[in-house]
Amino acid sequence: MSRTLQSRLAAAAVTVSLLGTAVWSGPVNASALPAVPPRHTGQADITGFPRQNVLPVWPDNPADASIAIGVIAYDDIAPKLNALQKASDRVSARIAGKSAGGYDLYAVTLTAPESRAQARQQEAWKRLIEDEPAKAQRDRRLLAGYKTPLFVNANIHGNEWEGTDAALRVIEEFATSTDPGVATLLERNRLVFNITSNPDGRVAGTRANSAGYDLNRDLTIVSQPETNLIRELVIDTKPIITLDLHGYVNPTLLHPSTPPHNVNNEYDLYIKHGLPNALAIEEDLRGLGHPETSRARIPFRDDEPGVWDDFPPIYVPSFAMLQSSIPYTIEAPLNPRGDLTPAEKVRRSGINTDVHEVAIKTSLRYIQEHRAEVLHDQAEVYRRGWAGEPLRDIPDGYVPGWGPEDDYRTTFPRAYVIPTGPGQHSETAAARLVDLLVGSDGRVWRAKRDFRAGGRYYRAGSYVIDMHQPKRGLVNSLLEPGIDITERVGDLYAGPAAWSQGLTWGATVDPLWRDLPDVRLERTYDGTADGDLPGGDTDLRLDLQDAADLLAVNSLLDHGVRVHRLADGSVVVPHSPTNRRLAAAEVREHDVTFERAPARWQGTPLDEIVVGYLGAAEERDTLREIGFEARAVTAETLAATLTDDVDVLLVGANLDLAGLTAENRAALDAFLARDGGVVGLGTAGAGFSNAAALLSVTATAGPGLASGVANIVNRGGPVTAGAIPHSFINQPVWFTGLGAGVTVEQSYAADPLLSGWWATNEAGTDGQAAAAGQASIVRGVSAAGNGVVLFGTDPAFRLHPKGLQPQLGRAVLWAAQR
């Protein structure tokens, strides 16, 4: 029987009685670690509610794309919130950050007034739920008095507007209501709203922010200021339910989702609430009386596996679930964009606003009706983490529609160690990874002395991640390799199907499966890398294994230092008092580690490098993260942008050479004639190389949704010498039919996919077997003298695979000056 049919037959049986399903329990074990300070520094700065601020008002903007849709313009939001704060002591609004485009980000808390003492008690209870969950589950005062939080994230896609309007409608209604029921509701709850999490896109009418990023793909990388705020609000609010308000899917789409499910979630504790509340929202949508809201689409019930999953932790709801929240993507049904009459746009946006209002109010009601259960289960996630209990084997039929296709689980190691010292591939990468873990509310410790564990020796100061911690699922989701889901899912909503910052960020990370290291540990809240500069009057070598190393090199070049590239891709800074002083400044600024240069070294002198790029925000910002000046180039602007100071062309998007104007083709030919270097990404880069008669290769691409962590073999050379043993792929590409003078720097292993999804067509020409052993990075010099490097992996994907950034940087250095 298909999943969809089975679910539909069973759906009618779903009622609130699902909450009677047994909850597994186990012994409550304390962590082996000593008591540690909480994530927050203390309660001295906690004040009561309201916490009101007069928000600056933005100038009127008639070009705001919101206006034509019939929703509130961005510049009217601050006046609205100011008026509500003036009218009601239930509303607290603040500027919580700035968008990429410089707009104010508004966070609003809606709750009954609290004295300072009451607010401090709420904070103490919130911490107790996470730090001592078993005690919290039995604490009668907490269960009676804790204000259960609801978090609403609105308008993350800028041209999906109506979540903002629904949030403001609910705030206004509850702030000004004289209904005793509303007063009681706000005495027992805190509602936290991110009013518009993408004001750039709201004003411009674009899905992405002004930097060019889809923000609902940026958790947990958090490369953008808007997603940094979302992460902070989820962590600090600790919401029982999280609502991420979107459009437009008809009928209204309501999370929960189809498999694959993130293997690190306590899914039994989620789905027992996630499904009945979705059904309750559907029922309340019917009550609106609009024909367009007579039914909803609940992927878990209605769709086949892979159609709409909650697998990667890059979405707001999937990240929130790993924080022990019951999350939802809510996709309102009616698209108000396009060639519609003004009246029809207003009608559609009005119905969408109604839909989001229902989602907020129904979810709030669900929390009230099942308060004891949802509080217990949020704490239960943390309790299982502290106790180190295995993930539950959820029986078929646990909720209607639950079957073997939903069974996604992992095994947690006892601990991870991120070494410092000789066993660490990159100290700066390790520090960056620790910062990601801590910033995501994971817990990290440092060893106070040297120790041995798992048959390895580790230096004092090595990071230890005890997996007996409350948010172990979040931590493990970042660090574990992931799984190959190719055989389990025939479809995939979106990539990546594996991510593993533990393998793709450039740091060495060791799992310990049995025992916590026998060493005294101290909680740390910051990743640090202590750079080094050898003493004496010696030439200095820097091995480029992290973005920080490239930043240091480009900074030295910017200061006029004559840096030399060696054959293995590392660089040497010849000794002089000035060079040593500048190198020392880079050690302090970027925490890089220089070593003594080899005797009688020989290298190629480098100059400052300007890179023109064909691509999007990812190519631009990856180049900037490794310190290169990045200049946007398009087919229409080649003559204006590919000027004499451009040294390398990064080709990350297709360029039709035959379609160029004579002027633009002449500019490209002039660039190549002066030995301009080329770095190509994927089939676009290979296609350009062939069309321009640079390197002759045959590029084959895997399926468009194939993505994940690849097993690779580094052959050494200026691009991959010393590189990490894994790579990141997003539609993998491999190169065959290599022409004369083409050198393979890296290839796919015999078993190319470590984790992710990579299916094949019926002919088997685009699958893993076809890629096995084939080249993934090649380089060569064209007959005309151009240095060319082609990547079949993806070092620029959404700023995610930071461990691959040095490979891209080394390729640029080699292509620019061989």
Side-chain angles (χ1 to χ4, degrees):
M1 182 183 296
S2 75
R3 161 65 176 274
T4 302
L5 180 58
Q6 178 191 44
S7 300
R8 286 172 176 166
L9 290 174
V14 179
T15 65
V16 174
S17 66
L18 284 169
L19 296 171
T21 305
V23 177
W24 289 282
S25 61
V28 179
N29 298 323
S31 170
L33 297 170
V36 294
R39 176 177 179 271
H40 302 281
T41 55
Q43 293 193 336
D45 58 344
I46 295 176
T47 61
F49 281 94
R51 303 170 187 171
Q52 296 183 331
N53 302 278
V54 177
L55 307 175
V57 176
W58 284 74
D60 182 61
N61 179 10
D64 188 325
S66 308
I67 298 171
I69 304 300
V71 294
I72 190 169
Y74 175 78
D75 54 71
D76 288 330
I77 294 175
K80 179 81 169 178
L81 293 174
N82 285 336
L84 288 172
Q85 288 184 104
K86 187 174 182 180
S88 175
D89 59 4
R90 299 169 175 174
V91 182
S92 301
R94 63 187 175 96
I95 296 173
K98 292 281 189 179
S99 71
Y103 287 104
D104 293 331
L105 299 171
Y106 305 117
V108 174
T109 300
L110 181 66
T111 194
E114 298 173 18
S115 67
R116 183 182 182 190
Q118 289 171 327
R120 294 178 70 175
Q121 179 62 74
Q122 290 296 323
E123 185 65 25
W125 279 333
K126 184 168 65 174
R127 296 181 192 177
L128 187 70
I129 290 170
E130 181 176 328
D131 294 337
E132 298 183 73
K135 182 177 179 181
Q137 288 171 328
R138 302 187 301 268
D139 190 319
R140 293 184 178 180
R141 290 185 62 237
L142 183 155
L143 296 174
Y146 180 59
K147 285 188 169 183
T148 44
L150 172 76
F151 174 56
V152 177
N153 190 61
N155 195 206
I156 192 170
H157 290 149
N159 58 356
E160 299 167 11
W161 290 270
E162 295 90 347
T164 294
D165 294 74
L168 290 171
R169 183 189 291 177
V170 171
I171 293 169
E172 181 171 18
E173 178 185 342
F174 285 6
T176 58
S177 173
T178 58
D179 184 346
V182 171
T184 300
L185 192 73
L186 296 180
E187 287 170 0
R188 296 177 61 79
N189 297 273
R190 283 183 183 170
L191 284 66
V192 177
F193 299 86
N194 192 9
I195 297 295
T196 168
S197 54
N198 185 2
D200 299 359
R202 184 177 188 85
V203 171
T206 59
R207 179 182 178 93
N209 70 350
S210 63
Y213 288 89
D214 183 335
L215 299 174
N216 204 36
R217 304 293 185 273
D218 199 48
L219 281 293
T220 58
I221 300 302
V222 195
S223 71
Q224 302 300 298
E226 298 93 338
T227 47
N228 184 64
L229 174 60
I230 294 168
R231 181 175 69 172
E232 288 180 2
L233 290 172
V234 171
I235 290 171
D236 292 342
T237 301
K238 210 180 301 295
I240 296 295
I241 288 179
T242 296
L243 300 174
D244 197 32
L245 305 182
H246 288 256
Y248 303 99
V249 175
N250 195 355
T252 300
L253 185 141
L254 308 172
H255 207 95
S257 297
T258 66
H261 306 304
N262 189 290
V263 297
N264 291 281
N265 281 313
E266 308 283 350
Y267 218 81
D268 62 307
L269 299 176
Y270 162 68
I271 196 63
K272 64 184 288 192
H273 301 294
L275 182 55
N277 187 45
L279 293 168
I281 295 172
E282 179 182 47
E283 184 62 29
D284 288 349
L285 290 176
R286 290 192 189 101
L288 288 173
H290 304 300
E292 298 92 339
T293 62
S294 61
R295 65 187 181 96
R297 172 182 165 193
I298 301 173
F300 180 84
R301 180 191 68 188
D302 300 327
D303 292 342
E304 295 294 337
V307 172
W308 192 284
D309 65 78
D310 51 20
F311 189 55
I314 58 173
Y315 313 111
V316 172
S318 55
F319 176 78
M321 199 186 307
L322 289 167
Q323 296 284 342
S324 192
S325 184
I326 303 163
Y328 293 85
T329 297
I330 309 291
E331 295 273 355
L334 301 178
N335 191 341
R337 305 183 296 247
D339 187 19
L340 302 170
T341 66
E344 178 61 12
K345 290 181 178 183
V346 170
R347 187 188 78 85
R348 292 187 179 195
S349 64
I351 291 174
N352 292 337
T353 303
D354 291 345
V355 166
H356 288 317
E357 180 186 3
V358 165
I360 295 169
K361 290 181 175 178
T362 304
S363 296
L364 187 59
R365 187 181 75 229
Y366 185 90
I367 294 172
Q368 306 322 298
E369 293 177 351
H370 310 291
R371 173 184 170 83
E373 188 88 16
V374 295
L375 269 175
H376 177 279
D377 288 348
Q378 183 177 67
E380 179 67 8
V381 171
Y382 305 140
R383 189 201 65 77
R384 292 178 185 179
W386 281 117
E389 296 179 3
L391 291 169
R392 301 307 197 250
D393 181 4
I394 307 175
D396 292 352
Y398 175 72
V399 297
W402 185 271
E405 69 274 20
D406 294 294
D407 185 13
Y408 281 82
R409 286 176 287 162
T410 192
T411 300
F412 298 110
R414 182 60 186 85
Y416 288 95
V417 178
I418 303 176
T420 58
Q424 180 52 252
H425 179 262
S426 169
E427 298 282 354
T428 48
R432 184 182 300 111
L433 180 57
V434 168
D435 285 341
L436 177 68
L437 292 168
V438 172
S440 300
D441 214 24
R443 303 190 180 207
V444 181
W445 292 262
R446 298 196 83 166
K448 299 295 290 180
R449 58 176 175 79
D450 297 352
F451 65 95
R452 293 190 66 85
R456 299 183 180 92
Y457 169 80
Y458 296 99
R459 283 190 177 180
S462 292
Y463 303 99
V464 176
I465 299 96
D466 179 12
M467 290 301 289
H468 287 192
Q469 62 171 291
K471 296 182 181 178
R472 62 172 179 177
L474 183 281
V475 171
N476 206 51
S477 191
L478 300 179
L479 294 181
E480 72 173 353
I483 61 172
D484 184 346
I485 61 172
T486 305
E487 300 303 320
R488 296 199 60 183
V489 182
D491 193 7
L492 199 64
Y493 172 66
W499 44 95
S500 187
Q501 286 86 340
L503 293 181
T504 64
W505 270 36
T508 302
V509 181
D510 296 331
L512 301 177
W513 291 100
R514 294 186 60 185
D515 299 313
L516 189 68
D518 184 17
V519 63
R520 189 162 72 87
L521 301 172
E522 181 177 70
R523 180 86 175 271
T524 186
Y525 298 88
D526 187 31
T528 58
D530 297 323
D532 193 21
L533 193 70
D537 298 338
T538 181
D539 297 339
L540 303 172
R541 175 180 180 267
L542 182 61
D543 191 11
L544 309 181
Q545 297 296 334
D546 186 69
D549 302 320
L550 271 299
L551 286 170
V553 168
N554 280 307
S555 177
L556 290 169
L557 291 171
D558 187 52
H559 284 88
V561 176
R562 193 69 163 170
V563 180
H564 297 255
R565 182 184 51 77
L566 303 188
D568 67 355
S570 65
V571 300
V572 167
V573 178
H575 173 73
S576 74
T578 298
N579 285 359
R580 184 172 181 84
R581 174 177 57 80
L582 291 171
E586 296 306 319
V587 171
R588 293 190 298 271
E589 175 68 18
H590 297 297
D591 301 317
V592 297
T593 296
F594 289 90
E595 59 187 31
R596 292 178 181 274
R600 295 182 296 278
W601 58 268
Q602 292 183 330
T604 302
L606 300 176
D607 294 318
E608 291 183 73
I609 297 173
V610 177
V611 183
Y613 69 93
L614 284 154
E618 297 163 305
E619 286 78 20
R620 175 197 68 202
D621 291 343
T622 300
L623 288 168
R624 290 176 178 175
E625 285 201 354
I626 52 181
F628 292 105
E629 180 183 340
R631 184 175 301 170
V633 176
T634 68
E636 294 76 22
T637 65
L638 282 169
T641 55
L642 207 58
T643 50
D644 289 346
D645 60 337
V646 175
D647 304 288
V648 174
L649 180 63
L650 175 64
V651 182
N654 290 318
L655 180 66
D656 178 13
L657 271 62
L660 295 177
T661 65
E663 182 184 21
N664 286 320
R665 182 58 196 251
L668 176 61
D669 290 343
F671 168 79
L672 296 174
R674 65 174 185 269
D675 295 342
V678 173
V679 176
L681 305 181
T683 55
F688 176 85
S689 177
N690 286 326
L694 300 176
L695 299 187
S696 178
V697 300
T698 298
T700 303
L705 286 173
S707 59
V709 180
N711 294 311
I712 49 90
V713 178
N714 289 310
R715 307 293 182 87
V719 178
T720 64
I724 57 176
H726 299 95
S727 195
F728 181 82
I729 51 173
N730 181 54
Q731 191 174 34
V733 171
W734 55 97
F735 306 111
T736 56
L738 306 181
V742 178
T743 299
V744 177
E745 281 250 1
Q746 183 190 88
S747 59
Y748 292 106
D751 182 10
L753 187 67
L754 174 66
S755 56
W757 186 88
W758 187 348
T760 188
N761 55 26
E762 290 185 4
T765 57
D766 64 350
Q768 300 177 43
Q774 303 296 344
S776 54
I777 300 177
V778 298
R779 63 176 170 86
V781 180
S782 73
N786 310 96
V788 181
V789 182
L790 302 178
F791 283 79
T793 57
D794 196 339
F797 180 80
R798 297 180 188 153
L799 297 182
H800 164 67
K802 298 187 183 299
L804 275 61
Q805 290 179 350
Q807 297 173 29
L808 182 64
R810 290 160 70 112
V812 169
L813 294 179
W814 184 85
Q817 292 157 316
R818 300 174 310 285

